[in-house]
Amino acid sequence: MKKELVNKREIKLVGLSTRTNNQNEMDAKTAKIGALMGEFFGKNKAVHISGRKSPGKTFSVYTEYASDEHGDYTYFIGEEVTSFDDVSSELSQLIIPAATYQKFTTNPGKMPEVVINAWQKIWKMTPDDFGGKRAYQADFEVYDERAHDPSNVSLDIYIGIV
């Protein structure tokens, strides 16, 4: 994985969210992320989002951490918007705060292995690897045109640091 230290401005998102943790996500009976992604893409929720900034560019966000990667967090999937005007009541809003992030770009590969392998590497990293301590405020994945072919996906993962 390639890495790059970046500063990002605030990002406004509209989409769907759920509360979960990594332990629950390892068991198909308690996992929620896959089902939420299925709802977002299967019911084409993005077309109901007003003011889409980059249609087809999807953000998967991990936020509202109870502690760290071992505790509960909110998982959010959606698209960036220009404003929160006219948000449907069936959709959630989220603001990713302006912050410093270590950006990791994966090598191309099959889904979901690409993202699983990337997170397994990230979980083993130290503050020295990140260039700072993890903030546990908002971490996110960006799926753009490089993710359209599920057998050849590349994505960016942003880890907030302080």
Side-chain angles (χ1 to χ4, degrees):
M1 276 191 310
K2 185 180 118 189
K3 75 177 187 177
E4 173 187 6
L5 192 63
V6 297
N7 290 307
K8 297 289 285 178
R9 61 170 178 70
E10 174 183 281
I11 302 170
K12 292 178 179 157
L13 301 172
V14 171
L16 302 174
S17 66
T18 191
R19 194 87 175 141
T20 190
N21 61 55
N22 287 339
Q23 184 175 346
N24 286 347
E25 292 305 311
M26 300 298 172
D27 183 342
K29 293 178 186 139
T30 56
K32 296 178 180 179
I33 291 175
L36 196 69
M37 290 179 85
E39 181 180 352
F40 185 79
F41 291 113
K43 295 183 178 177
N44 205 9
K45 293 287 187 180
V47 300
H48 302 289
I49 298 173
S50 297
R52 295 164 72 192
K53 199 165 185 177
S54 301
K57 183 177 181 181
T58 305
F59 288 73
S60 289
V61 186
Y62 307 85
T63 190
E64 299 172 349
Y65 287 94
S67 56
D68 57 18
E69 72 268 21
H70 302 292
D72 289 352
Y73 55 84
T74 297
Y75 173 79
F76 182 98
I77 184 168
E79 287 194 9
E80 186 174 7
V81 295
T82 54
S83 76
F84 288 140
D85 296 338
D86 302 319
V87 175
S88 166
S89 61
E90 66 183 40
L91 298 171
S92 301
Q93 302 172 24
L94 178 71
I95 295 177
I96 299 174
T100 300
Y101 293 89
Q102 191 62 253
K103 173 185 167 187
F104 295 93
T105 302
T106 67
N107 294 324
K110 270 182 87 169
M111 275 299 279
E113 290 85 2
V114 168
V115 72
I116 291 169
N117 292 339
W119 277 106
Q120 287 176 342
K121 289 176 186 173
I122 288 167
W123 291 330
K124 292 177 183 172
M125 291 182 179
T126 67
D128 287 342
D129 295 324
F130 289 119
K133 286 180 64 173
R134 285 189 65 184
Y136 292 103
Q137 189 171 27
D139 303 312
F140 58 98
E141 306 155 4
V142 177
Y143 296 87
D144 54 21
E145 66 280 349
R146 299 168 299 157
H148 289 170
D149 176 0
S151 65
N152 189 35
V153 171
S154 181
L155 66 136
D156 297 324
I157 300 175
Y158 293 81
I159 304 295
I161 59 172
V162 290

